[in-house]
C-alpha cells in the first residue's frame, strides 16, 4: 500500500474505565510482527511467543481519543441493530459500526503480584457520553473490545467481568498509528468508498500499525481492527472499521457480559432500588455477607457475576441494581455514595405505597421519605462497621446461591 493511501495519526488516549476478565483455556500469544522499519541499534532480541495459562487475569483498558475514526452517522434503529450484533453485513452502506484501535497484549501483574495481561482498546471520544448514560451501550463497547482482542490474539476470554476500582491498568502512553485515508475523509477530503461483499477477499483479519515503546512512538505494533476479512491492500475499499463481529456468545459458565456502570446498572435494568444486605461473623471467623435478592431464579444465577477483592465485593445480577461494597473509599465517600444510591432509586407509586386509596398523597410521600432515610442510615452504619474489619480472604471466598430463599451468602 502506498503512503498516499495511509494517514499517520498521533494518539494520546485518555483513560475511561478498566474491566477484568480471564482466559478460558491455555494458549500461546503470538509475538508481535517485526517493526516496519527495523532499528539497527536495537540490541535486545525480538519478543517471542508468550505462553498463556487458563485462568490468567486479563485487564482491558477502555480509553478515548478524538483522533480515532468516529462512528458514522446512523439512526437509533441502526445503532440498536449493531448493539444486538444483528448488523454485520460489510456491504451494507447503512450499517452502523464503532471503530476501535486495539493494542497488542503486554505482560503485567495484579495487586497480589500474580501474572496478568493488559490490552488497550481506544474509541473515539464522541462515544464516551453515551457510554456514561446508557448501560447497554457500555456493555456493547465492552463486548466489542473483548471480541476484537479474541480475534487479534487468539485468546478465549471469559464474560464474567470484574470492574477494578481503577481508571486504567498501567499508564496509557502516546502512540502513533496509521489508518486508511478513506477512514478519515475530514482529514484527507476523500470520500469513503464501499466494496460489495463479493469483492472482499478472504485475508487475515488484522492490519498492523505502530504503537508506543516507553512513551515514545515507534514501530512496535498495535492493531486497527476491521470487522471483515481484509489485509493491507484492501483497507481503502471498505467503509470503515466495522462494529461488532457477532452476538455475544455465552461463556463456559453460561453467563453473558454484565458489568458495573457509573450508576450501578447492568444490561437489564428492572429494579433500581439498592439490595438489602447484612453481615456477621460465623463460627469459623469468616465474614458472612448476606444479600437478599427477591425473585432469584436459576437462570439469574447463571447470568450473574460475583467479584471479590481484598476490600471490595461486586455482585451483578440482571434486573437488579449492582451490589458494590468498596471499602477502599473514605468514610465520607462511602456515605455520599450510599446516599446517592438511595436517593436515585425510583419512587413507588401511591397505589403501591398506600394501604388504601383514602390515604393522602402527601402523607404517603412523607412516609416513603422516612423509610428511605431509615434504610440509608442503616446501610451506611453496616457498611462503615464492615470497613473496620479485616481484608476479605479472596482465595478462600465462597458463595451460596439460595434460589428458594432469595439470597446470596458470600463468605470472605
Amino acid at each position: 500500500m502506498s503512503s498516499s493511501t495511509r494517514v499517520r495519526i498521533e494518539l494520546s488516549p485518555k483513560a475511561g474505565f478498566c474491566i477484568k476478565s480471564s482466559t478460558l483455556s491455555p494458549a500461546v500469544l503470538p509475538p508481535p510482527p517485526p517493526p516496519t522499519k527495523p532499528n539497527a541499534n536495537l540490541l535486545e532480541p525480538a519478543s517471542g511467543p508468550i505462553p498463556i495459562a487458563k485462568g490468567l487475569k486479563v485487564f482491558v483498558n477502555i480509553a478515548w481519543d478524538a483522533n480515532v475514526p468516529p462512528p458514522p452517522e446512523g439512526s437509533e434503529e441502526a445503532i440498536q441493530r449493531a448493539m444486538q450484533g444483528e448488523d454485520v453485513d460489510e456491504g451494507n452502506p447503512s450499517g452502523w459500526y464503532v471503530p476501535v484501535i486495539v493494542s497488542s497484549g503486554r505482560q503485567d501483574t495484579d495487586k497480589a503480584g500474580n501474572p496478568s495481561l493488559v490490552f488497550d482498546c481506544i474509541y473515539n471520544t464522541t462515544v464516551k457520553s453515551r457510554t456514561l448514560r446508557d448501560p447497554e451501550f457500555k456493555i456493547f463497547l465492552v463486548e466489542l473490545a473483548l471480541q476484537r482482542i479474541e480475534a487479534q490474539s487468539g485468546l478465549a476470554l471469559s464474560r464474567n467481568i470484574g470492574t477494578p476500582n481503577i481508571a486504567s491498568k498501567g499508564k496509557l502512553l502516546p502512540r502513533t498509528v496509521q489508518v486508511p485515508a478513506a477512514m478519515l475523509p475530514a482529514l484527507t477530503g476523500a470520500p469513503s468508498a464501499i466494496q460489495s461483499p463479493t469483492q472482499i477477499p478472504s485475508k487475515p483479519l488484522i492490519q498492523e500499525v505502530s504503537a508506543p515503546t516507553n512513551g515514545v512512538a515507534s514501530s512496535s505494533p498495535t492493531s486497527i481492527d476491521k470487522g471483515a476479512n481484509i489485509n493491507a491492500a484492501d483497507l481503502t475499499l471498505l467503509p470503515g472499521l466495522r462494529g461488532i463481529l457477532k452476538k455475544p456468545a455465552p461463556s463456559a459458565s453460561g453467563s453473558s457480559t454484565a458489568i458495573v456502570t457509573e450508576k450501578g446498572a447492568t444490561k437489564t435494568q428492572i429494579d433500581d432500588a439498592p439490595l438489602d444486605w447484612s453481615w456477621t461473623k460465623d463460627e469459623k471467623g469468616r465474614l458472612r455477607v448476606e444479600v437478599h435478592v427477591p425473585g432469584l431464579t436459576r437462570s439469574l444465577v447463571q447470568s450473574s457475576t460475583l467479584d471479590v477483592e481484598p476490600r471490595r465485593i461486586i455482585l451483578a445480577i440482571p434486573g437488579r441494581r449492582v451490589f458494590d461494597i468498596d471499602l477502599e473509599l473514605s468514610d465520607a465517600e462511602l456515605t455520599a455514595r450510599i446516599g446517592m444510591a438511595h436517593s436515585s432509586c425510583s419512587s413507588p407509586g401511591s397505589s403501591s405505597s398506600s394501604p388504601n386509596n383514602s390515604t393522602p398523597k402527601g402523607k404517603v410521600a412523607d412516609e416513603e421519605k422516612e423509610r428511605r432515610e431509615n434504610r440509608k442510615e442503616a446501610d451506611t452504619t453496616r457498611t462503615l462497621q464492615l470497613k473496620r474489619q479485616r481484608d476479605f480472604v479472596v482465595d478462600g471466598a465462597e458463595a451460596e446461591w439460595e434460589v428458594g430463599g432469595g439470597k446470596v451468602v458470600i463468605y470472605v
Side-chain angles (χ1 to χ4, degrees):
M1 177 178 289
S2 65
S3 59
S4 62
T5 59
R6 304 285 293 280
V7 177
R8 181 180 294 270
I9 59 175
E10 304 291 335
L11 300 181
S12 297
K14 300 294 187 293
F17 58 94
C18 180
I19 63 167
K20 179 176 63 179
S21 179
S22 60
T23 55
L24 293 175
S25 59
V28 175
L29 195 65
T36 306
K37 296 179 180 179
N39 186 348
N41 297 320
L42 187 63
L43 301 179
E44 295 82 357
S47 301
I50 303 173
I52 303 297
K54 178 181 179 181
L56 181 70
K57 195 174 293 184
V58 178
F59 294 92
V60 180
N61 294 324
I62 305 297
W64 322 112
D65 194 291
N67 288 333
V68 174
E73 294 293 329
S75 65
E76 183 60 27
E77 181 182 359
I79 294 173
Q80 290 297 326
R81 285 198 305 269
M83 289 170 60
Q84 296 301 319
E86 297 173 353
D87 194 0
V88 295
D89 181 1
E90 294 297 326
N92 180 9
S94 64
W96 193 81
Y97 52 92
V98 182
V100 55
I101 293 178
V102 182
S103 75
S104 298
R106 58 184 181 272
Q107 295 176 292
D108 206 322
T109 57
D110 62 13
K111 288 194 297 186
N114 299 316
S116 65
L117 274 179
V118 182
F119 291 88
D120 301 329
C121 293
I122 310 171
Y123 295 96
N124 185 271
T125 308
T126 57
V127 304
K128 177 181 177 180
S129 59
R130 179 157 184 162
T131 305
L132 296 176
R133 69 176 187 271
D134 185 347
E136 291 195 9
F137 187 76
K138 182 174 184 178
I139 291 173
F140 164 67
L141 292 190
V142 168
E143 176 61 30
L144 174 57
L146 293 175
Q147 289 191 19
R148 294 315 195 195
I149 293 170
E150 289 177 326
Q152 172 177 315
S153 66
L155 300 177
L157 301 180
S158 171
R159 269 31 177 200
N160 286 337
I161 303 301
T163 53
N165 191 28
I166 52 177
S168 68
K169 177 65 173 175
K171 186 177 180 180
L172 292 171
L173 300 175
R175 65 200 71 198
T176 300
V177 300
Q178 296 182 49
V179 301
M183 286 298 301
L184 297 169
L187 298 180
T188 65
S192 297
I194 297 175
Q195 181 185 25
S196 71
T198 57
Q199 294 174 291
I200 300 174
S202 179
K203 300 287 180 65
L205 180 67
I206 302 300
Q207 163 66 25
E208 298 298 337
V209 293
S210 56
T213 299
N214 297 327
V216 181
S218 74
S219 54
S220 300
T222 184
S223 298
I224 287 186
D225 195 290
K226 303 273 293 184
N229 292 323
I230 60 174
N231 70 356
D234 307 312
L235 285 172
T236 56
L237 301 178
L238 293 173
L241 305 177
R242 301 297 296 187
I244 205 160
L245 288 174
K246 56 184 181 297
K247 290 186 178 182
S251 68
S253 62
S255 63
S256 58
T257 306
I259 59 173
V260 179
T261 69
E262 287 82 356
K263 296 182 179 180
T266 50
K267 185 173 183 179
T268 305
Q269 188 73 38
I270 297 175
D271 185 357
D272 63 353
L275 295 172
D276 285 326
W277 68 286
S278 61
W279 72 271
T280 57
K281 282 187 177 179
D282 68 5
E283 64 279 2
K284 298 180 181 179
R286 299 180 300 179
L287 296 174
R288 181 183 184 275
V289 179
E290 182 175 304
V291 185
H292 295 271
V293 187
L296 185 63
T297 63
R298 293 186 182 278
S299 61
L300 282 179
V301 171
Q302 291 177 341
S303 57
S304 299
T305 61
L306 173 62
D307 183 28
V308 178
E309 300 176 6
R311 299 294 289 168
R312 191 174 188 180
I313 297 175
I314 304 172
L315 175 63
I317 299 175
R320 308 293 189 274
R321 179 179 287 226
V322 170
F323 176 76
D324 185 359
I325 301 296
D326 186 359
L327 303 182
E328 291 281 7
L329 301 176
S330 67
D331 289 5
E333 289 173 320
L334 278 173
T335 301
R337 183 174 178 179
I338 293 169
M340 291 179 60
H342 283 273
S343 63
S344 64
C345 62
S346 301
S347 301
S350 60
S351 60
S352 60
S353 302
S354 175
N356 56 67
N357 293 333
S358 63
T359 304
K361 292 183 178 180
K363 184 177 181 180
V364 170
D366 291 341
E367 291 175 350
E368 174 60 25
K369 182 178 179 181
E370 183 178 358
R371 281 194 293 269
R372 285 191 182 184
E373 288 298 321
N374 291 338
R375 190 175 175 185
K376 179 177 68 174
E377 183 178 350
D379 198 355
T380 302
T381 299
R382 75 171 66 96
T383 304
L384 294 178
Q385 289 174 338
L386 181 59
K387 181 182 177 182
R388 274 44 175 183
Q389 304 300 310
R390 56 165 172 75
D391 288 355
F392 302 141
V393 180
V394 177
D395 292 338
E398 298 179 1
E400 297 176 357
W401 301 74
E402 300 183 15
V403 173
K407 62 183 178 181
V408 181
V409 183
I410 308 163
Y411 295 94
V412 290

